[in-house]
Amino acid sequence: MNTTSNPTSEPIFNAQELGALAHLYRGEMYRSKIWRMRLDTTTNWAVATTGIALSVAFSNRENSPTPLILVGLLVMVFLIIEGRRYRYFDIWRTRVRTLEVDFYGPILRGEGVRTDNGWNLALAKDYEHLRFHISYLEAVGRRLRRNYAWIFAIQGISYLAKISIHPTPLRTLDEMWARAAIGMLPGQMALLIGALWHISWILLAILTLRQQRALGRVGGPAEYEDSILSTTQS
């Protein structure tokens, strides 16, 4: 006679524990939402300061293009802050995705609560030892590709447009060097530094494209069958 108990014959979690897990999901979703709002706040700062710099630079043809350079440095600081915030956001987002996929997913499929893949132990260990799940460079690269690349591109194009048309349209290269000069820094050097800066963030966005460790990324229509859309249409 086999006296070994079957672990699947007994419920994995009782009713009180299932309720606690539901509240845990709500709490993690709330924290994820708060950090999502913090990310949007930093991006709004970058957009607002860029808009102010554009207004100041183009409001008068005699105005200097230097505000566009200074605000570029400020936006870089916002990107550094947002990269750090994104790593914290990824912690809570990863926990939410774990509960959605491994806890609620089997329930919705009619399989009941399952722990055969060890998601509960991994989640418990994550609570015990808090850690980042993605690197700082990946976080910065993701924010670059999503938002800040467009902001930096607008700043660069606006700067070139400013020195090209104000106060009069460019006629010679010497005029461009003179307009691009910043104090004692020659115009050639200023444009070279600017070009290197834009090349650096482009390379960062491309090189971190392979580091797609963050969870919760939205896939395109061709990557999987849209079962919800199919069910709704039928």
Side-chain angles (χ1 to χ4, degrees):
M1 179 177 179
N2 186 8
T3 58
T4 304
S5 61
N6 186 0
T8 60
S9 61
E10 295 292 334
I12 300 173
F13 300 110
N14 57 37
Q16 292 80 5
E17 291 170 341
L18 289 175
L21 282 174
H23 286 294
L24 177 66
Y25 174 76
R26 293 176 58 189
E28 295 297 344
M29 179 66 75
Y30 176 76
R31 289 205 283 190
S32 176
K33 176 183 177 182
I34 292 299
W35 281 93
R36 175 75 256 183
M37 293 174 60
R38 291 183 178 182
L39 291 176
D40 294 339
T41 300
T42 316
T43 304
N44 291 339
W45 292 346
V47 172
T49 53
T50 300
I52 294 173
L54 291 173
S55 300
V56 172
F58 286 93
S59 61
N60 193 305
R61 64 175 58 192
E62 301 297 333
N63 289 350
S64 171
T66 306
L68 294 172
I69 300 176
L70 297 178
V71 81
L73 299 175
L74 184 59
V75 171
M76 180 181 66
V77 174
F78 293 152
L79 176 59
I80 293 173
I81 297 173
E82 189 159 325
R84 177 180 176 272
R85 290 182 173 183
Y86 190 87
R87 296 185 78 191
Y88 280 98
F89 164 73
D90 183 72
I91 294 175
W92 323 129
R93 195 254 308 268
T94 300
R95 292 177 178 176
V96 168
R97 289 293 296 163
T98 300
L99 289 169
E100 289 175 344
V101 173
D102 297 316
F103 176 63
Y104 287 105
I107 294 177
L108 292 173
R109 291 192 298 267
E111 302 172 359
V113 179
R114 301 183 60 178
T115 58
D116 47 355
N117 65 346
W119 67 267
N120 56 323
L121 299 178
L123 190 59
K125 185 179 295 184
D126 188 67
Y127 278 105
E128 184 178 356
H129 303 288
L130 186 64
R131 62 185 298 270
F132 293 116
H133 301 294
I134 61 174
S135 66
Y136 181 76
L137 287 180
E138 180 185 352
V140 172
R142 287 179 63 84
R143 301 315 293 167
L144 262 174
R145 291 188 296 272
R146 295 295 179 89
N147 295 325
Y148 283 81
W150 303 102
I151 299 175
F152 287 136
I154 290 173
Q155 291 173 353
I157 294 173
S158 300
Y159 176 80
L160 293 177
K162 174 63 179 179
I163 65 175
S164 299
I165 64 177
H166 285 170
T168 58
L170 280 176
R171 294 182 177 85
T172 64
L173 282 176
D174 292 335
E175 288 185 11
M176 185 173 67
W177 306 143
R179 296 179 186 181
I182 304 174
M184 300 297 294
L185 186 67
Q188 297 94 321
M189 186 61 66
L191 290 177
L192 178 60
I193 294 174
L196 291 176
W197 155 242
H198 285 282
I199 291 174
S200 65
W201 68 255
I202 292 173
L203 288 177
L204 177 60
I206 295 175
L207 293 177
T208 56
L209 188 60
R210 299 180 179 179
Q211 301 178 9
Q212 296 292 331
R213 297 188 59 188
L215 296 178
R217 293 182 290 111
V218 180
E223 297 182 25
Y224 58 89
E225 180 183 358
D226 198 335
S227 56
I228 289 184
L229 185 60
S230 302
T231 303
T232 304
Q233 290 177 344
S234 62

